[in-house]
């Protein structure tokens, strides 16, 4: 965690960054924190295989595969190129290669790529894989989308306690929810407010965040968060999940050219775009911590036959 001495004055805030892109495991990222808890449970249960699901460029699947390899477990994942509609169907219909997909092969992930559909359909396919592996005699540990669970929330409660500094605001990307909810629980009762910038164009995610907090509260024996405790911004999603629009691309360039730090186009660039907008509009001020969630391999994902203009090149 360190200050951003060029961007802070430019935005009129005392700006710091938490570098979960530098966690040092399997390409870095916030998912390593969740896996510390999830894989411990898998080991305790004597699991021989882990099943999960995600988008084809999932950061979680990439780090999960590495964790399974280290622990001598099979990693089986159901994936979709674009699990739900984006505004630009042309972008959505061209699958991306490279990036996390290339790393997944090195980690030995058994990937089952299925036709695009809803998140619910993706989870259903993971359930099918879980049953199939169990029929083969494997002891299966199932992990939900993005590793989001009460254990993952606990990982980010611990992460929040790790900060140990006095901030007015913490800004992070938010999707499956455990990162934001864990941080919100960690700073509950303090002056620090946690803002989640959504990577998904789904207003109903707020209901998922509340439900996740309620489950964590029951598990940990602490009060659940209320609606007013959760600040969830939907204004910076861009064209849709997995697609960086002009605002996110500008934020990515701003961070790169001012501080020499790379953001990813799916999560952290959108989150930083939200932070820039909030700071310039005066909605956040004082001492602000930007939580970099990682995801850098996605910068090297390229759509097959897709030109920067958004038109199919036919190559």
């Amino acid at each position: 965690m360190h200050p951003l001495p060029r961007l802070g004055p430019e935005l009129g805030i005392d700006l710091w960054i938490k570098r979960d892109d530098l966690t040092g495991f399997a390409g870095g990222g916030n998912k390593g924190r969740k896996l510390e808890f999830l894989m411990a449970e898998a080991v305790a249960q004597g699991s021989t295989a882990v099943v999960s699901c995600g988008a084809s460029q999932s950061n979680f699947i990439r780090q999960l595969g590495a964790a399974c390899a280290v622990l001598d477990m099979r990693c089986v994942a159901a994936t979709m190129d674009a699990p739900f509609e984006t505004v630009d169907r042309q972008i959505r219909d061209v699958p991306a290669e490279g990036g996390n997909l290339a790393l997944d092969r090195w980690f030995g992930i058994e990937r089952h790529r299925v036709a695009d559909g809803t998140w619910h359909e993706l989870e259903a396919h993971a359930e099918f894989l879980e049953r199939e592996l169990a029929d083969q005699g494997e002891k299966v540990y199932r992990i939900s989308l993005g590793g989001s669970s009460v254990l993952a929330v606990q990982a980010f409660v611990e992460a929040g306690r790790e900060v140990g500094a006095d901030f007015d605001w913490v800004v992070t990307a938010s999707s499956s929810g455990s990162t934001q909810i864990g941080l919100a629980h960690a700073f509950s009762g303090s002056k620090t407010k946690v803002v989640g910038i959504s990577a998904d164009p789904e207003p109903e995610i707020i209901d998922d965040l509340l439900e996740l907090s309620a489950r964590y509260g029951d598990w940990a024996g602490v009060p659940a968060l209320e609606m007013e405790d959760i600040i969830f911004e939907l204004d910076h999603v861009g064209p849709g999940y997995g697609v960086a629009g002009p605002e996110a691309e500008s934020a990515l360039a701003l961070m790169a050219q001012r501080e020499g730090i790379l953001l990813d186009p799916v999560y952290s660039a959108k989150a930083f775009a939200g932070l820039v907008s909030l700071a310039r509009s005066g909605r956040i001020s004082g001492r602000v911590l930007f939580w970099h969630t990682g995801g850098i391999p996605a910068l090297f994902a390229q759509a097959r036959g897709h030109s920067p203009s958004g038109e199919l090149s036919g190559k």
Side-chain angles (χ1 to χ4, degrees), residues 6 252-261:
R6 298 191 68 200
L252 200 158
L254 183 65
M255 179 69 84
Q257 293 170 20
R258 295 295 191 276
E259 302 288 354
I261 296 171

Side-chain angles (χ1 to χ4, degrees), residues 207-286:
D207 298 323
D208 298 334
L209 298 178
L210 286 165
E211 190 269 337
L212 181 59
S213 175
R215 284 195 288 122
Y216 175 74
D218 290 341
W219 178 81
V222 298
L225 301 172
E226 303 291 340
M227 179 71 82
E228 58 268 22
D229 300 320
I230 300 175
I231 306 173
F232 183 66
E233 294 279 327
L234 277 158
D235 297 337
H236 309 284
V237 172
Y241 179 79
V243 183
E247 185 188 31
E249 290 180 355
S250 294
L252 200 158
L254 183 65
M255 179 69 84
Q257 293 170 20
R258 295 295 191 276
E259 302 288 354
I261 296 171
L262 295 174
L263 303 175
D264 85 287
V266 181
Y267 297 103
S268 57
K270 294 181 181 183
F272 190 62
L275 184 153
V276 170
S277 176
L278 292 170
R280 287 176 172 166
S281 67
R283 289 180 58 196
I284 63 173
S285 59

Side-chain angles (χ1 to χ4, degrees), residues 79-123:
T79 65
M80 290 178 177
D81 290 322
F84 57 81
E85 296 290 337
T86 65
V87 173
D88 191 334
R89 286 297 301 274
Q90 197 172 51
I91 291 175
R92 177 181 181 271
D93 289 341
V94 182
E97 297 293 346
N100 283 312
L101 276 173
L103 297 179
D104 289 353
R105 289 191 288 271
W106 291 109
F107 293 132
I109 296 169
E110 300 173 42
R111 179 185 288 276
H112 293 252
R113 211 164 180 173
V114 299
D116 288 348
T118 65
W119 290 115
H120 178 74
E121 290 167 341
L122 185 58
E123 289 273 16

